[in-house]
Amino acid sequence: MITAMAAGGIAIAPAAAASGSVGNCNTWTSSRAPYTASAYCSKIAWGDSFRVKATCVDPRGSTWVAYGPWRKNTETSTVKCSDSPNVGVLKVSVSFSA
């Protein structure tokens, strides 16, 4: 991972579906900079909400978590890690409201 970034490339994690959650959710990342993470959920309860959670990584290997806005059933939550083309998305998941 660090070798690829040192060579100037950005490693992007493949999209993964949320597991153990209520409803049916899909996650994905953008294919070019600025890199974003998105989540779409359906079949969740009327009063429930969700948001995308992205673990971002910079060329030095530093990571941080960014959250998208809260959304309801059949909506999409998207977050951008940074405007820098050198910052990528390492992991994508979904958070649900309590």
Side-chain angles (χ1 to χ4, degrees):
M1 173 78 168
I2 294 174
T3 303
M5 284 192 284
I10 293 291
I12 297 183
S19 60
S21 61
V22 178
N24 180 22
C25 297
N26 294 306
T27 62
W28 65 93
T29 60
S30 60
S31 60
R32 59 182 91 156
Y35 294 101
T36 61
S38 299
Y40 171 88
C41 293
S42 62
K43 300 180 182 176
I44 62 175
W46 178 82
D48 290 346
S49 57
F50 71 94
R51 64 182 176 177
V52 67
K53 176 183 175 183
T55 302
C56 306
V57 62
D58 69 15
R60 295 173 306 191
S62 298
T63 60
W64 65 93
V65 174
Y67 292 93
W70 290 106
R71 296 292 187 226
K72 299 286 186 181
N73 191 46
T74 69
E75 295 181 341
T76 301
S77 178
T78 300
V79 66
K80 178 171 54 172
C81 283
S82 171
D83 286 324
S84 170
N86 298 320
V87 173
V89 177
L90 187 63
K91 181 180 172 185
V92 183
S93 60
V94 178
S95 295
F96 288 88
S97 59

